[in-house]
């Protein structure tokens, strides 16, 4: 199969009998890129429409979550481009500090080396080499998916321009007093050897132990409970509630701390819940955030007892033990002294883990850099509250407000070597100098730069404007900021969305980074289970693209995209979408072979058949419906609407109903050929943003146009002689064809119930008197395989439907007595189902307790039972009387 036959450029040229995605997609995509269709022009007078891609990690590859969100972003930007917007979808990647450093450190470990063997500069150079060799794999995969991104604007969070933006905003925040350095409790990963933010900690139920320990001597004793017994070595107080009379005599006293030669005070603090446990809590300010706050209020010392790897650094017997070894040793020593009052094992409790390496996080007192978020977070909340930014679906706003309204100061320093190094220098006399991109760094003896790097989310928080050239006032920034919509998963509202909102409003004088936040769910397997390597249910979308084509994967993902809800997906569904692509192909091929054309104006309405008027009326309703769904980010609904219009109404009904017209030829065939051409032209345009490859191939064949990528988005169709606001509508024609469909559907169901083969011909008498169906008798007979009645015709079954009557002669094809017995049994079952449903719905006690979804389900059962009764009774009435 040659390229020319698969991607024809002239109208009505011959299409191959089968569609082969692998022979089309790659060549077609490169043609789009070479022609510059995705390159946005800041000088254009067209209105701008901008989306910046959530930058995937440089370590990553395309997974179904990426493919899902990319499909939605691509559909939005393709449609806007067709609508006449200067549409920019900007690509790029994130340097992913911890993840990328871990990759290179693993590589070094295989060589028997560590980063310390190389030193900082050589290690960073090694990471850049790794990035060039392995990074960006996902960018090639994006091309496979058909992402219409502007490759000329591809960015990387550590490229020269973005690095300048990072240094600029750090300096601005520092000068405004919004960045500071302080010693506080942070989340520390003993494996990655760096601080991590609250949102990079994942909590899970772990089976630990809860031990109750007796502190003090004699009457000056109390009991505390802990799951981290080793931290008692760093206790500097015990706290009780000020109103707890049990311990009033101890407040202000010093008590003996077991296993040590220290005494510690008993302090009164309202943080303590007197109803929980014994009402007394141990206070370890250097290893617990709540204890740190208590310590601050009472002037307690901070005693650090572990190093960065979680190894005990104090108290001889436990010195050098790992934290878990120390836990067991401390409990053993306390047990020997008779100070263990109670032990509970296993004890399930929520434990924080590093999201990168799954190591248990250790709260640790550490000197770090922080962003003061109070005013920034308020601005981020206000921008949504006052309508400058909308969150879709709206019910997700609560999660956003819950986060930004209660945001703690953000720890932005990381103890890594890969990333944006903090632009602060320390002098020999204690000087602290923050250096901007245009400043000279201090030189001379004793001046050193801070060794830490910035949190990855600091640079990606600048993404919507740094990628457009900020801090310079570039044409791109002026044209394309603020961006129109952010499409991202609801799981990173906290990681990324809030950061971008804070920085965008701060850096861009109150102009938010995007107008709409469109939140998606997560992709899950067909059973709704999270995809995970440990579950063995992870799917490489490239495998499905190879097997079924990229359009099939895209359409499946779009069909599952209900705003904010998770998306189940299975291979069977992708196969069904491949079948849809094949259906589009085969139907368009048939249409082209039977005179479908877009040449000339549409014929006047008086020359059109009811079938022609019906499909144009349905087309216009579909255009309006799809537009409304796009504006509401209802990708699932717009995909379903297009699927059913294209497959059911155009290909299964209009094409079938028009076959007799096409075969007859003449003026009617020309009219229907022009109508079918119009319908296909519009349908392919509507489908293109979601399934770009097959639609491009078919549309260029049908129309001879340059490309759907730059074609106009369809508007509702007007018909000469029947102009109307909002495009042509014909409710009478729609009702007429709906009645025809009802007749055909009911008779087909009856035939199937009788066990007749689809192609088996049956004599029939059609009484269409008084209906508009008389003009369709030929089509009805053809679709139902109904022969004219003969001299010996005997109506053995009569079906009244839609005002018409279809009498069938089934003599010799069915056993009437057996059929009556079967239908009577089915009728009894349907009546029993109706009685049961009515009984439940009539039970007030049941209705008062049953959830709404259960009641709705029973109502649905009742409606189905009533419909079954009517259908079966009509079939019984249509049978001849028993002989």
């Amino acid at each position: 199969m040659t390229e020319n036959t698969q991607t024809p450029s002239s109208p009505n040229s011959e299409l191959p009998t089968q569609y082969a995605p692998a022979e089309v997609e790659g060549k077609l995509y490169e043609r789009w890129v070479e022609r510059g269709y995705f390159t946005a022009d800041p000088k254009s007078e067209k209105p701008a429409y901008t989306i910046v891609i959530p930058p995937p990690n440089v370590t990553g590859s395309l997974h179904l979550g990426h493919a899902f969100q990319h499909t939605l972003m691509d559909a939005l930007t393709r449609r806007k481009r067709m609508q006449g917007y200067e549409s920019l979808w900007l690509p790029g990647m994130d340097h992913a500090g911890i993840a990328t450093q871990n990759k290179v450190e693993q590589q070094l470990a295989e060589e028997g080396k560590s980063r310390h063997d190389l030193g900082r500069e050589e290690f960073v150079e090694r990471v850049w080499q790794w990035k060039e060799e392995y990074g960006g794999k996902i960018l090639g995969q994006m091309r496979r998916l058909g992402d219409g991104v502007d490759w000329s604007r591809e960015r990387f969070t550590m490229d020269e321009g973005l690095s300048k933006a990072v240094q600029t905003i750090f300096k601005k925040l520092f000068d405004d007093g919004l960045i500071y350095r302080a010693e506080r409790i942070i989340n520390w990963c003993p494996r990655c050897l760096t601080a991590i933010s609250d949102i990079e900690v994942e909590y899970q139920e772990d089976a630990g132990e809860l031990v109750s320990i007796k502190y003090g001597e004699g009457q000056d004793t109390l009991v505390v409970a802990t799951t981290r017994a080793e931290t008692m070595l760093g206790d500097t107080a015990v706290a009780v509630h000020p109103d707890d009379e049990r311990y009033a005599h101890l407040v202000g006293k010093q008590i003996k701390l077991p296993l040590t030669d220290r005494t510690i005070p008993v302090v009164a603090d309202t943080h303590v819940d007197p109803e929980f446990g014994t009402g007394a809590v141990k206070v370890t300010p250097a290893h617990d955030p709540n204890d740190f706050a208590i310590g601050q209020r009472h002037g307690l010392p901070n005693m650090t007892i572990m190093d960065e790897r979680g190894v005990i650094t104090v108290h001889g017997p436990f010195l050098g033990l790992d934290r878990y070894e120390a836990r067991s040793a401390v409990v053993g020593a306390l047990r020997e002294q008779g100070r263990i009052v109670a032990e509970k094992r296993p004890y399930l409790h929520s434990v924080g883990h590093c999201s990168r390496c799954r190591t248990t996080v250790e709260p640790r007192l550490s000197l770090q850099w922080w962003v003061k978020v109070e005013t920034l977070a308020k601005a981020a909340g206000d921008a949504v509250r006052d309508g400058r930014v909308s969150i879709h679906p709206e019910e997700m706003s609560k999660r956003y407000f819950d986060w930004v309204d209660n945001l703690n100061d953000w720890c932005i320093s990381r103890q890594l070597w890969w990333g944006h190094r903090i632009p602060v220098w320390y002098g020999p006399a204690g000087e602290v100098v923050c250096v901007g991109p245009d400043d000279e760094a201090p030189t001379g003896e004793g001046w050193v730069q801070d060794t830490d790097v910035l949190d990855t989310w600091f640079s990606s928080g600048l993404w919507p404007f740094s990628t457009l050239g900020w801090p310079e006032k570039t044409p791109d920034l002026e044209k394309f900021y603020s961006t129109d919509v952010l499409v991202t998963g609801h799981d990173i509202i906290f990681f990324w969305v809030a950061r971008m909102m804070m920085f965008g409003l701060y850096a861009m004088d109150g102009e938010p980074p995007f107008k709409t936040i469109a939140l998606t769910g997560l992709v899950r397997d067909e059973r709704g289970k999270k995809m995970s390597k440990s579950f063995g249910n992870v799917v490489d979308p490239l495998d499905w693209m190879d097997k079924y084509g990229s359009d099939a994967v895209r359409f499946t993902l779009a069909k599952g995209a209900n705003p904010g809800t998770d998306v189940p997906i299975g291979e069977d569904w992708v196969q069904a979408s491949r079948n849809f692509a094949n259906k589009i192909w085969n139907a368009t091929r048939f249409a082209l072979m039977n005179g479908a054309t877009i040449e000339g104006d549409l014929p006047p309405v008086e020359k059109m058949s009811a079938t022609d008027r019906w499909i144009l009326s349905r087309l216009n309703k579909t255009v309006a419906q799809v537009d409304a769904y796009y504006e509401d980010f209802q990708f699932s609904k717009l995909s379903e609407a297009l699927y059913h219009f294209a497959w059911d109404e155009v290909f299964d009904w209009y094409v079938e109903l028009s076959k007799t017209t096409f075969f007859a030829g003449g003026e009617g065939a020309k009219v229907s050929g022009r109508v079918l051409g119009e319908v296909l032209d519009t349908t392919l345009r509507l489908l293109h943003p979601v399934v770009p490859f097959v639609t491009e191939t078919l549309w260029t064949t049908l129309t001879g146009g340059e490309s759907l990528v730059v074609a106009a988005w369809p508007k509702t169709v007007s018909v000469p002689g029947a102009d109307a606001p909002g495009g042509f509508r014909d409710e009478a024609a729609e009702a007429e064809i709906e009645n025809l469909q009802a007749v055909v559907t009911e008779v087909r169901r009856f035939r199937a119930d009788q066990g007749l083969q689809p192609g088996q011909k049956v004599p029939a008498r059609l009484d269409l008197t008084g209906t508009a169906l008389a003009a369709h008798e030929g089509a009805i007979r053809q679709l139902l395989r109904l022969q004219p009645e003969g001299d010996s015709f005997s109506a053995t079954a009569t079906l009244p439907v839609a005002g018409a009557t279809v009498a069938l002669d089934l003599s010799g094809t069915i056993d009437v007595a057996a059929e009556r017995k079967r239908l009577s049994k089915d009728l009894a079952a349907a009546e029993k189902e109706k009685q049961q449903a009515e009984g439940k719905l009539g039970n007030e006690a049941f209705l008062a307790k049953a959830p709404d979804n259960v009641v709705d389900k029973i109502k649905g059962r009742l409606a189905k039972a009533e419909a079954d009764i009517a259908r079966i009774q009509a079939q019984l009435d249509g049978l001849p009387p028993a002989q």
Side-chain angles (χ1 to χ4, degrees):
M1 203 172 289
T2 66
E3 179 185 357
N4 288 336
T5 58
Q6 276 287 289
T7 55
S9 58
S10 58
N12 301 331
S13 60
E14 184 179 351
L15 285 169
T17 55
Q18 290 184 326
Y19 176 52
E23 297 186 23
V24 170
E25 293 176 349
K27 296 172 185 176
L28 208 50
Y29 185 83
E30 292 309 316
R31 183 180 302 170
W32 291 334
V33 174
E34 289 167 6
R35 292 180 177 178
Y37 292 155
F38 306 138
T39 303
D41 181 5
K43 298 178 182 178
S44 170
E45 294 183 0
K46 297 178 184 177
Y49 184 82
T50 314
I51 293 180
V52 292
I53 202 168
N57 288 351
V58 71
T59 59
S61 60
L62 191 73
H63 57 65
L64 275 175
H66 288 126
F68 170 53
Q69 291 181 356
H70 287 204
T71 295
L72 306 189
M73 286 183 277
D74 195 34
L76 290 171
T77 49
R78 283 179 183 269
R79 173 175 174 262
K80 285 296 183 180
R81 188 179 293 111
M82 295 173 74
Q83 286 183 313
Y85 286 79
E86 194 62 28
S87 190
L88 169 61
W89 185 19
L90 193 148
M93 292 181 295
D94 194 296
H95 67 280
I98 294 177
T100 307
Q101 178 157 321
N102 282 346
K103 287 281 188 183
V104 179
E105 288 196 82
Q106 290 167 12
Q107 194 179 63
L108 287 173
E110 294 173 1
E111 301 171 11
K113 298 177 183 178
S114 75
R115 60 180 163 126
H116 300 286
D117 294 324
L118 273 64
R120 183 167 193 143
E121 289 187 11
E122 189 176 341
F123 176 78
V124 171
E125 179 58 34
R126 179 73 174 258
V127 182
W128 277 107
Q129 292 173 8
W130 183 92
K131 184 259 181 187
E132 293 303 316
E133 185 174 355
Y134 298 102
K137 176 182 177 184
I138 197 170
L139 299 179
Q141 296 168 332
M142 286 164 57
R143 302 172 92 93
R144 281 289 313 277
L145 189 65
D147 285 4
V149 296
D150 185 346
W151 292 110
S152 70
R153 287 179 168 83
E154 181 190 334
R155 304 305 299 267
F156 178 54
T157 49
M158 284 185 63
D159 67 29
E160 183 178 352
L162 269 62
S163 295
K164 180 178 181 180
V166 167
Q167 199 171 350
T168 299
I169 202 162
F170 188 100
K171 170 73 170 172
K172 179 174 171 59
L173 289 162
F174 182 90
D175 291 345
D176 287 347
L178 296 175
I179 280 184
Y180 64 95
R181 196 180 189 214
E183 192 174 47
R184 292 188 178 179
I185 292 286
I186 48 89
N187 304 296
W188 182 265
C189 177
R191 157 64 182 80
C192 298
L193 298 180
T194 182
I196 57 176
S197 65
D198 292 343
I199 51 179
E200 292 171 300
V201 178
E202 294 181 354
Y203 288 89
Q204 66 183 46
E205 292 289 314
D206 283 1
E209 61 179 347
L210 179 69
V211 294
S212 297
I213 309 168
K214 182 174 66 176
Y215 281 30
E217 302 289 351
Q219 292 187 339
D220 294 344
T221 63
L222 37 67
V223 175
V224 301
T226 181
T227 58
R228 302 166 66 218
E230 72 282 2
T231 63
M232 68 159 294
L233 301 174
D235 285 358
T236 57
V238 173
V240 298
H241 194 276
D243 300 331
D244 195 333
E245 295 181 359
R246 293 173 296 175
Y247 304 115
H249 67 290
L250 289 177
V251 173
K253 285 189 175 182
Q254 296 281 328
I255 62 171
K256 182 76 165 56
L257 179 65
L259 304 183
T260 73
D261 57 1
R262 293 189 293 117
T263 60
I264 57 176
V266 177
V267 299
D269 196 279
T270 55
H271 171 76
V272 180
D273 180 0
E275 303 297 323
F276 184 77
T278 65
V281 298
K282 59 191 289 298
V283 182
T284 320
H287 293 277
D288 183 275
N290 293 322
D291 293 3
F292 178 77
I294 293 174
Q296 292 289 98
R297 288 193 289 272
H298 296 277
L300 301 176
N302 302 315
M303 186 173 177
T304 300
I305 64 163
M306 294 182 207
D307 68 10
E308 60 184 9
R309 298 183 184 274
V311 174
I312 302 298
T313 58
V314 299
H315 202 70
F318 311 107
L319 185 65
L321 294 181
D322 171 84
R323 53 183 168 160
Y324 299 114
E325 296 172 333
R327 182 173 302 171
S328 178
V330 166
V331 171
L334 289 168
R335 192 182 295 114
E336 287 181 7
Q337 292 187 6
R339 290 190 173 274
I340 298 296
V341 177
E343 296 181 69
K344 186 175 182 180
R345 188 185 298 112
Y347 177 72
L348 286 177
H349 61 128
S350 182
V351 178
H353 295 261
C354 173
S355 62
R356 299 293 181 185
C357 68
R358 314 305 306 159
T359 301
T360 299
V361 167
E362 192 66 42
R364 186 169 187 256
L365 187 64
S366 182
L367 184 62
Q368 302 284 345
W369 285 96
W370 304 80
V371 172
K372 188 182 296 184
V373 301
E374 183 179 3
T375 58
L376 300 174
K378 182 180 184 304
D382 290 346
V384 175
R385 288 188 170 95
D386 64 24
R388 281 175 289 158
V389 178
S390 62
I391 294 179
H392 191 89
E394 195 277 332
E395 57 265 25
M396 286 284 181
S397 298
K398 183 179 184 301
R399 294 185 66 185
Y400 176 80
F401 291 132
D402 286 347
W403 180 253
V404 298
D405 292 348
N406 300 284
L407 200 57
N408 296 318
D409 284 0
W410 172 20
C411 177
I412 56 171
S413 46
R414 299 291 180 268
Q415 290 65 55
L416 304 171
W417 287 355
W418 172 246
H420 295 280
R421 194 163 173 182
I422 289 177
V424 171
W425 271 254
Y426 306 108
E431 302 95 331
V432 178
V433 176
C434 180
V435 176
D438 300 322
D439 301 333
E440 289 290 333
T443 57
E445 187 175 350
W447 282 94
V448 294
Q449 185 177 359
D450 195 299
T451 57
D452 289 351
V453 300
L454 288 163
D455 178 10
T456 295
W457 298 101
F458 189 95
S459 53
S460 58
L462 315 180
W463 190 253
F465 53 95
S466 64
T467 52
L468 296 172
W470 188 90
E472 307 300 329
K473 293 182 178 180
T474 64
D476 276 5
L477 193 65
E478 183 177 353
K479 178 74 174 179
F480 297 111
Y481 187 90
S482 63
T483 68
D484 286 85
V485 60
L486 171 72
V487 177
T488 192
H490 60 66
D491 57 323
I492 60 170
I493 292 178
F494 322 121
F495 284 93
W496 192 43
V497 178
R499 311 300 193 205
M500 288 189 289
M501 284 287 282
M502 290 191 298
F503 281 168
L505 291 161
Y506 172 74
M508 299 301 294
D509 299 322
E511 189 175 1
F514 20 75
K515 301 176 183 71
T516 300
I517 302 168
L519 296 171
T520 70
L522 308 179
V523 177
R524 297 182 177 272
D525 70 13
E526 63 267 31
R527 296 179 182 85
K529 193 172 183 179
K530 180 180 179 181
M531 288 192 173
S532 166
K533 290 181 180 178
S534 60
F535 296 152
N537 62 350
V538 173
V539 174
D540 184 346
L542 292 177
D543 292 341
W544 282 352
M545 283 187 246
D546 289 341
K547 194 171 182 180
Y548 302 111
S550 298
D551 282 335
V553 174
R554 291 170 61 113
F555 194 69
T556 305
L557 290 165
K559 278 185 73 177
N562 289 302
T565 60
D566 290 345
V567 183
I569 184 172
E571 186 168 0
D572 288 348
W573 305 340
V574 183
Q575 186 174 351
S577 295
R578 187 274 312 274
N579 294 344
F580 178 52
N582 288 343
K583 182 78 170 182
I584 300 170
W585 181 271
N586 293 333
T588 305
R589 186 169 177 271
F590 167 85
L592 289 170
M593 290 190 298
N594 285 275
T597 180
I598 64 162
E599 294 179 5
D601 296 331
L602 278 173
V605 68
E606 62 269 15
K607 289 191 175 183
M608 292 183 183
S609 67
T611 309
D612 295 330
R613 300 195 307 276
W614 162 74
I615 196 62
L616 289 175
S617 186
R618 291 294 308 133
L619 174 67
N620 280 344
K621 288 185 177 179
T622 302
V623 170
Q625 194 176 40
V626 168
D627 277 333
Y629 286 145
Y630 261 115
E631 296 306 314
D632 200 33
F633 303 99
Q634 297 279 0
F635 293 97
S636 177
K637 290 182 178 179
L638 72 88
S639 299
E640 288 286 349
L642 285 169
Y643 176 88
H644 289 296
F645 176 72
W647 190 307
D648 298 342
E649 297 185 291
V650 179
F651 304 144
D652 276 358
W653 284 106
Y654 182 73
V655 169
E656 288 298 320
L657 290 170
S658 300
K659 280 182 177 178
T660 53
T661 304
F662 287 134
F663 295 158
E667 186 64 22
K670 290 182 180 179
V671 170
S672 292
R674 180 62 187 88
V675 169
L676 181 53
E678 188 75 19
V679 171
L680 285 176
D681 177 16
T682 301
T683 303
L684 293 170
R685 290 173 195 253
L686 290 172
L687 282 165
H688 176 73
V690 180
V691 283
F693 295 107
V694 67
T695 53
E696 173 86 339
T697 306
L698 294 173
W699 185 84
T700 52
T701 304
L702 171 70
T703 69
E706 179 186 348
S707 172
L708 264 177
V709 181
V710 291
W713 181 252
K715 297 179 180 179
T716 50
V717 175
S718 295
V719 175
D723 290 338
F728 174 73
R729 293 283 198 280
D730 193 328
E731 300 296 339
E734 289 195 43
E736 182 176 327
I737 301 304
E738 283 174 10
N739 286 336
L740 182 153
Q741 291 171 326
V743 170
V744 172
T745 301
E746 182 60 28
V747 175
R748 279 176 173 169
R749 181 164 55 187
F750 180 79
R751 287 177 56 112
D753 287 343
Q754 310 310 313
L756 299 178
Q757 296 300 314
Q760 187 173 349
K761 295 183 178 180
V762 177
R765 177 189 299 136
L766 273 61
D767 183 0
L768 308 176
T769 306
T771 74
L773 297 178
H776 303 285
E777 180 170 349
I780 293 172
R781 286 186 177 277
Q782 179 182 341
L783 290 170
L784 292 171
R785 304 294 191 269
L786 302 180
Q787 293 177 322
E789 55 186 296
D791 294 337
S792 60
F793 179 83
S794 175
T796 60
T798 304
L799 301 175
V801 55
T805 303
V806 179
L808 303 173
D809 183 354
L810 303 178
S811 303
T813 61
I814 63 169
D815 182 332
V816 174
E819 182 61 18
R820 183 176 293 280
K821 183 177 180 181
R822 183 184 72 81
L823 288 173
S824 297
K825 184 178 178 181
D826 289 347
L827 181 62
E831 288 173 338
K832 183 179 180 181
E833 175 72 4
K834 178 186 176 185
Q835 290 173 359
Q836 289 176 343
E838 286 177 334
K840 287 188 175 181
L841 293 173
N843 185 333
E844 294 296 334
F846 169 78
L847 293 176
K849 295 180 180 178
D852 290 345
N853 65 317
V854 173
V855 175
D856 289 342
K857 187 174 181 179
I858 295 171
K859 288 180 178 177
R861 284 169 49 193
L862 175 60
K864 182 179 183 302
E866 290 174 338
D868 287 344
I869 290 169
R871 175 178 57 82
I872 297 167
Q873 189 62 60
Q875 292 176 11
L876 280 167
D877 293 343
L879 291 174
Q883 298 296 320

